[in-house]
Amino acid sequence: MYGACLTLRGTLSGDMGTTSNRFDFIRLVLASGVFLFHVVALSAAEQTPLELNLAVLGELCIQGFFIVSGALVYGSYERSKSLSDYAGKRIRRLYPAYAVVILIPATIALLLTLAAPGRIPQILEYVGANLLFLNFLEPNLPGLFESNRFPAVNGALWTLKIEVMFYLVLPFIAWVLAQMGRLWWIGIAALIIGAFVWKAAILALENPYSPQLARQLPGQMMYFAAGIALWRVLDLVRGQALTVFWIGVIALTLSLSVPSLDALRVLGLTGLIAGVAFMPGPALNVAAWGDVSYGVYITHFPILQALVAMGVFSMLGPIASGVLSAALVFAASYALWWWVEKPALRADSHYRKVSEK
């Protein structure tokens, strides 16, 4: 397996070199899909049919993120010289920008509550819990967004906890798969089936917390495992991109239209992502001016919350407010990239190289 992966070095984005793929574009589209859902959900006074429909889109985008992460991070691990090398790359890519989007709202809340020192412990609790990816322990800040429909400061960050958990268990998963040799695909199948079984078992408990627990790991492992499998067959996918794309479209359509075929969603999303990444056509190198997909994902929620709290959506209406929101989110994302994310990356990072061309 390791020898096969050596031939794939430099074929993807992430910590990899660049060839003709569109993974940067895909990640930006997925982040924008989540942003679109939150524009509608956060600005509405109550749940609407449009919000429910876009919730499905948001869920698909998040699951697509996990598939892309499974492929790119597994490839990154395979090329890492050591565990510390692997960990260093993941920390540099994820944590500096994440810490900034935690500390800025906390600082604003602190300034707003200086006259009420009794609220400072909650701010400290927010900072401590969120810097450790334990967002569920304290999602709110005093004085910020308390009158909004959803008072959470950054409700999009729950997926980062799952990402980090995957990063932590990936070395063990990779080791087990390597030991399996020719049975490698049985190991992948076990990961995917095990995730389905875990999710079904948790939901069957009918506990108020079951839906929340089911969408954590290992319930999301099916998508990460699909990404790992995608990395394994990249050469095949590149040669049959259009076929893979249409298989993905058909499988995803069936999973969404026939409830009993929901399990096909994993195949559908993986095929769709792989097909778009490698099918003929324009390169769509959106990272040439900076990789902002991560920034879009982690900054959009508090920006939307602030605009809602200030009454901007009520004054300007949904379309103008949505355009303003997008402009602010992309501006913040570019600032985050150039001032925080890029300086934290290693000199040989794919993202630095692409944006410096």
Side-chain angles (χ1 to χ4, degrees), residues 83 113 182 274 301 306 308 310 342 351:
L83 275 176
T113 59
R182 295 181 179 180
F301 201 99
V308 171
M310 291 187 294
K342 185 178 179 179
Y351 301 106

Side-chain angles (χ1 to χ4, degrees), residues 98-138:
Y98 177 86
V100 168
V101 301
I102 297 301
L103 294 175
I104 288 179
T107 302
I108 294 172
L110 181 63
L111 294 175
L112 293 175
T113 59
L114 287 177
R119 309 185 83 176
I120 292 179
Q122 184 184 352
I123 297 175
L124 296 177
E125 184 179 352
Y126 171 88
V127 171
N130 283 268
L131 287 179
L132 294 175
F133 299 99
L134 302 177
N135 320 87
F136 62 94
L137 291 179
E138 184 50 83

Side-chain angles (χ1 to χ4, degrees), residues 250-266:
I250 293 170
L252 184 59
T253 301
L254 288 172
S255 73
L256 294 174
S257 57
V258 183
S260 61
L261 298 179
D262 181 64
L264 288 176
R265 181 181 296 195
V266 178

Side-chain angles (χ1 to χ4, degrees), residues 32 60 74 107 161 243 255 261 288 311 325:
S32 299
L60 290 172
Y74 180 72
T107 302
K161 174 176 76 279
T243 300
S255 73
L261 298 179
S325 301

Side-chain angles (χ1 to χ4, degrees), residues 268-301:
L269 278 173
T270 306
L272 192 62
I273 288 169
V276 171
F278 294 109
M279 70 169 55
L284 301 177
N285 183 17
V286 297
W289 300 279
D291 179 58
V292 300
S293 57
Y294 182 44
V296 169
Y297 187 81
I298 63 176
T299 65
H300 77 269
F301 201 99

